[in-house]
Amino acid sequence: MRRVAQVVAVRPEKLDEYRELHRAVPEPVLDRLRRCHIANYSIHLLGNRLFAYFEYHGDDLEADLALMAADEATREWWRLTVPCQTPVPQAAPGEWWATAEQVFLME
Amino acid sequence: MRRVAQVVAVRPEKLDEYRELHRAVPEPVLDRLRRCHIANYSIHLLGNRLFAYFEYHGDDLEADLALMAADEATREWWRLTVPCQTPVPQAAPGEWWATAEQVFLME
């Protein structure tokens, strides 16, 4: 299992909408996350930054992310959530959620 | 169990030192964390922000944090790590690591 931490900015005017959306994430979206070997997934907010943490139990994260992007329910969900966000300056080209570097772990 | 996510800024000139320190956290510091009901603790870096995630299995986080602050090994550790950090603007008065708001959870 590997831990993934990611950061994205939230548009201030969309913050309430983002919170509200996440109170009832559609079950097919959650199902697809689980099928893509993602578990213990939480998102946290401070200021205008969202900090996601999840645990990846598969062996090909790229392939699983592609599987998520191919899922219609997930794409519909992203049509709602993406307008609430903007990548942070540290995001790599083409990256939406920027991946952080793990500097410490106590299991 | 409740998840805690926290954010602090790292001083750019102290980043290498912070990374190096966390490659070998003293065992007594880890022991005290565990005794204080903290588990699955990771710290992640992006830009000049450190994001901590841990799972708290006790029922009085304030009391457990006080127990950590009373531990000599932990205080010695903080004497090394605190100069590497500065609180973020969102930190409450007296807060070092600012606590983020959980906006989503998929267990």
Side-chain angles (χ1 to χ4, degrees), chain A residues 24-85:
Chain A
V25 178
E27 204 53 46
V29 174
L30 301 177
D31 285 347
R32 178 55 62 132
L33 283 166
R34 293 188 188 102
R35 278 185 53 195
C36 290
H37 310 103
I38 287 171
N40 197 17
Y41 186 3
S42 54
I43 300 177
H44 308 264
L45 169 75
L46 189 75
N48 73 335
R49 289 289 187 275
L50 294 163
F51 161 45
Y53 170 93
F54 65 82
E55 295 170 0
Y56 178 66
H57 293 264
D59 52 19
D60 190 344
L61 183 55
E62 288 301 305
D64 276 321
L65 294 179
L67 206 60
M68 280 177 54
D71 176 58
E72 191 41 51
T74 300
R75 295 163 73 93
E76 182 57 38
W77 173 245
W78 290 346
R79 277 191 280 275
L80 300 173
T81 58
V82 160
C84 301
Q85 304 166 332

Side-chain angles (χ1 to χ4, degrees), chain A residues 19 40-41 45 101 106, chain B residues 19 41 45 55 101 106:
Chain A
R19 269 203 199 93
N40 197 17
Y41 186 3
L45 169 75
E101 169 197 346
M106 180 191 78
Chain B
R19 268 203 201 92
Y41 186 4
L45 170 74
E55 296 172 357
E101 169 197 345
M106 181 191 78

Side-chain angles (χ1 to χ4, degrees), chain B residues 3 9 20 41-42 47 49 79 89 95:
Chain B
R3 291 156 181 84
E20 193 57 45
Y41 186 4
S42 55
R49 289 289 188 275
R79 277 191 280 274
E95 208 177 35

Side-chain angles (χ1 to χ4, degrees), chain B residues 49-104:
Chain B
R49 289 289 188 275
L50 294 163
F51 303 93
Y53 169 92
F54 64 83
E55 296 172 357
Y56 179 66
H57 293 265
D59 52 19
D60 190 344
L61 183 55
E62 288 302 307
D64 277 322
L65 294 179
L67 206 60
M68 281 177 55
D71 177 57
E72 190 41 52
T74 300
R75 294 162 72 94
E76 181 56 37
W77 173 246
W78 289 348
R79 277 191 280 274
L80 300 172
T81 59
V82 159
C84 301
Q85 305 166 332
T86 48
V88 294
Q90 296 85 10
E95 208 177 35
W96 192 257
W97 282 87
T99 303
E101 169 197 345
Q102 186 177 295
V103 293
F104 168 69

